[in-house]
Amino acid sequence: MSLSAPLLVEERDDRVTLRLNRPEAKNAIDQETVDLLHEACARLERSPKVAIVTGSGGVFAAGADIAQLRERRREDALRGINSGIFDRIRRLPMPTIALVDGYALGGGAELAYACDFRVGTPRVKLGNPEAGLGILAAAGATWRLKELVGEPLAKELLLTGRVLDAGEALGVRLLNEVVPQQELDAAGQRWADRITKQAPLAVRLAKSVFHAPAEAHPVIDDIAQAVLFETEDKYQRMTAFLERKKGRS
């Protein structure tokens, strides 16, 4: 892929980094970026890996591309251009990690909310100013943000346009961790290392069960556990645990 493409994909055996790459537009999410994110998701659905989502130029994403957004009409909204791709990212089989530096506003914030984990820098500015532009945060924030931070703060962000700094976002666990800017990429790899040390199928099923509707529990938990009980990975990991415990006694 060209280094001038609006999304750069950096792939390793057990993880992939998706880097928004429109620094001249503060990584505003345009239609081409959405199309490339769909292509990346299709690959991750076929070959599940941990995904790290980040930006270039010291910005995560300042929002959707306003020039394109201004020209969109009813049929465009009903197509769910951004809501569709962000929901697809949320549903990826393996965990996703957003590395947030600088602005994550509007659609950029909603992309971060769609990820399983968010690691930021002290420069983070996170929020949903859509109402000030005559629209609403329709790509996930109106329902996902309440799940993440609770109704009172979610309403404050959505209805007043308040923007959180890094300390505030960390305080309400909208960020899982704050690290110096120069350590952000390394922090993302560290989070990916933690995840990939776990049993891959156990992580994948745990994520699926976590997001299952309430009425599916506890049946779906028992079925997922039944699958894992039959795996060689479970047997080997438990055997290794017991051997280590025996060695310490």
Side-chain angles (χ1 to χ4, degrees):
M1 180 176 291
S2 168
L3 293 179
S4 63
L7 183 73
L8 303 179
V9 180
E10 305 156 19
E11 194 154 2
R12 292 167 53 175
D13 288 343
D14 59 358
R15 68 198 66 176
V16 61
T17 298
L18 307 177
R19 189 177 301 275
L20 303 175
N21 187 45
R22 300 183 71 215
E24 74 289 349
K26 294 184 171 59
N27 298 326
I29 300 168
D30 65 352
Q31 183 65 60
E32 188 178 2
T33 304
V34 169
D35 293 341
L36 291 171
L37 283 169
H38 275 297
E39 291 179 14
C41 285
R43 292 196 296 272
L44 287 166
E45 288 159 355
R46 290 193 301 268
S47 179
K49 296 181 180 183
V50 173
I52 298 170
V53 183
T54 188
S56 56
V59 175
F60 183 69
D65 188 292
I66 300 300
Q68 291 187 4
L69 204 57
R70 185 184 62 179
E71 303 308 317
R72 290 179 183 170
R73 295 295 184 263
R74 177 182 59 196
E75 294 305 316
D76 298 305
L78 294 175
R79 285 168 53 207
I81 296 170
N82 285 357
S83 63
I85 184 57
F86 297 162
D87 193 54
R88 191 172 186 180
I89 288 169
R90 186 187 74 84
R91 294 175 184 276
L92 285 173
M94 291 293 281
T96 52
I97 307 159
L99 301 184
V100 186
D101 189 21
Y103 292 113
L105 301 174
E110 290 176 302
L111 172 57
Y113 303 156
C115 293
D116 296 298
F117 306 105
R118 287 160 294 281
V119 179
T121 74
R123 299 166 4 102
V124 162
K125 299 294 181 185
L126 185 63
N128 290 94
E130 283 91 342
L133 295 171
I135 59 173
L136 61 84
T142 53
W143 56 274
R144 190 170 287 133
L145 192 53
K146 180 170 65 174
E147 293 181 354
L148 292 170
V149 300
E151 183 174 326
L153 182 55
K155 282 184 174 177
E156 190 173 343
L157 296 177
L158 294 168
L159 304 182
T160 74
R162 181 183 168 196
V163 173
L164 301 180
D165 63 25
E168 292 170 320
L170 180 65
V172 297
R173 302 304 291 169
L174 200 49
L175 292 177
N176 296 89
E177 183 181 9
V178 174
V179 299
Q181 183 184 19
Q182 65 273 19
E183 297 177 17
L184 186 60
D185 285 342
Q189 298 300 327
R190 174 165 45 81
W191 276 80
D193 288 342
R194 290 180 190 170
I195 296 165
T196 56
K197 285 179 182 176
Q198 312 309 308
L201 185 58
V203 171
R204 182 173 175 178
L205 290 180
K207 178 176 176 176
S208 295
V209 170
F210 183 90
H211 286 296
E215 58 270 20
H217 301 285
V219 174
I220 191 172
D221 306 66
D222 294 338
I223 293 171
Q225 191 76 298
V227 171
L228 292 169
F229 273 7
E230 297 297 321
T231 61
E232 184 63 23
D233 200 5
K234 167 253 187 179
Y235 183 82
Q236 291 181 356
R237 284 171 179 265
M238 289 192 174
T239 299
F241 173 85
L242 293 172
E243 292 298 325
R244 289 194 302 271
K245 185 177 180 180
K246 185 191 302 183
R248 290 194 297 268
S249 61

